[in-house]
Amino acid sequence: MTTLIMGIVNVTPDSFSDGGRFVDPDTAIAHGLWLRSEGANLLDVGGESTRPGAERVAPRVEQERVLPVVQALAEAGVVVSIDTMNASTALAAVDAGARIVNDVSGGLADPDLLSAVATTTAELVLGHWRGPSADMYARAEYGDVVREVMRELAERVDAAAAAGIPPGRLIVDPGIGFGKKGAQNWDVLRALPRVIGLGHRVLVGTSRKRFLAELLSADVDGDGVSEMRRDLATAVTSVLAADAGAWAVRVHDVIATRDALDVASSWWRPHAGDQGSE
């Protein structure tokens, strides 16, 4: 299986990594097209930051940010995912051309989202989530993080099925960084084969997240770790996720991840008859 690359297009003023860079629709559209040229297989467009501590955004504001971008990218032939926790935004984005709804809350933030997506042909990403970004770390209490994440993901899958969404349209995301502290994220990543064993495609998003910066820095919060170093760490975790069988990885730096996956692919599957020329 070839692991796909989902490029991130944040149309927000306050995302943790690139907030404000692409809040203008034309700039966001150009960035999305550039990510596709760099090797992204699909693009995830979001109008509400889910960084730690972020406050919710009204659906009307979210839609004003994302719909022009979704429509333009879809018309350009891009496979678009809408990153939203709101049912109304999901429906509007699908009408504008989005083919995937990526809900980091797994349908918990808006009780109407699952039934809304069921009325469309869109695929749905169900993220593992324990509550709003404003206090997500307060909920990072686990007896066995892997067992509990898998159980809670399975519950969201069951809820989606009950809402009328066929299993073939579902994708699960273990929610790296969401309601999980440093070491807990590594525990879940090591258990990716078990998550894949749930029987659904798996999306993994580690890009530039705090747990990577904490690993790379003596600074407890990792604030001093450069974007370049975070992207390198992201590329490594993306390769490891691909090796575990992830369907797709969600990243900011597409070219670094594309290069890393291409190198890993050549390492894992050498071509018969190659002479190993330098």
Side-chain angles (χ1 to χ4, degrees):
M1 180 186 74
T2 300
T3 298
L4 304 180
I5 296 177
M6 175 184 278
I8 299 170
V9 182
N10 286 322
V11 195
T12 58
D14 58 345
S15 291
F16 80 94
S17 176
D18 54 6
R21 291 191 199 176
F22 312 112
V23 70
D24 174 72
D26 289 338
T27 303
I29 293 162
H31 181 61
L33 294 174
W34 179 73
L35 290 178
R36 182 178 67 168
S37 74
E38 295 281 276
N41 304 103
L42 57 161
L43 297 176
D44 195 36
V45 178
E48 177 179 2
S49 175
T50 54
R51 64 176 173 79
E55 298 295 333
R56 296 300 310 274
V57 172
R60 176 187 57 80
V61 174
E62 181 188 31
Q63 290 164 35
E64 288 174 353
R65 292 173 178 174
V66 300
L67 293 182
V69 180
V70 169
Q71 182 172 348
L73 291 175
E75 289 176 350
V78 176
V79 177
V80 178
S81 165
I82 178 66
D83 179 2
T84 185
M85 295 183 282
N86 294 308
S88 61
T89 301
L91 289 177
V94 171
D95 285 345
R99 292 163 56 180
I100 302 170
V101 175
N102 179 14
D103 181 2
V104 299
S105 82
L108 290 171
D110 184 341
D112 294 327
L113 186 134
L114 297 181
S115 58
V117 173
T119 67
T120 74
T121 59
E123 297 180 305
L124 175 64
V125 180
L126 297 166
H128 177 264
W129 187 80
R130 282 195 163 182
S133 297
D135 66 348
M136 69 165 73
Y137 291 136
R139 303 167 189 258
E141 298 295 333
Y142 300 89
D144 183 326
V145 64
V146 173
R147 186 185 300 275
E148 292 173 49
V149 166
M150 290 184 62
R151 185 187 70 241
E152 291 164 24
L153 277 175
E155 290 171 355
R156 302 322 303 153
V157 168
D158 289 345
I165 304 174
R169 284 167 52 192
L170 296 178
I171 301 154
V172 297
D173 179 344
I176 301 302
F178 288 93
K180 300 169 190 68
K181 298 177 182 177
Q184 294 167 342
N185 295 291
W186 293 111
D187 289 341
V188 173
L189 286 171
R190 282 190 291 270
L192 275 180
R194 292 174 60 185
V195 178
I196 292 165
L198 290 172
H200 298 277
R201 290 167 291 169
V202 174
L203 172 66
V204 176
T206 63
S207 191
R208 298 178 182 171
K209 290 189 175 177
R210 178 178 294 182
F211 80 105
L212 295 177
E214 289 173 350
L215 176 72
L216 301 175
S217 175
D219 176 358
V220 174
D221 292 325
D223 293 332
V225 177
S226 70
E227 186 174 287
M228 181 182 298
R229 292 182 68 200
R230 291 186 189 225
D231 284 337
L232 176 57
T234 299
V236 173
T237 54
S238 295
V239 165
L240 294 171
D243 190 34
W247 165 75
V249 290
R250 182 180 181 274
V251 301
H252 296 85
D253 187 340
V254 167
I255 191 64
T257 300
R258 171 57 62 202
D259 288 348
L261 289 174
D262 286 347
V263 169
S265 179
S266 292
W267 182 288
W268 295 328
R269 290 180 290 277
H271 301 289
D274 281 357
Q275 298 302 309
S277 58
E278 295 182 358

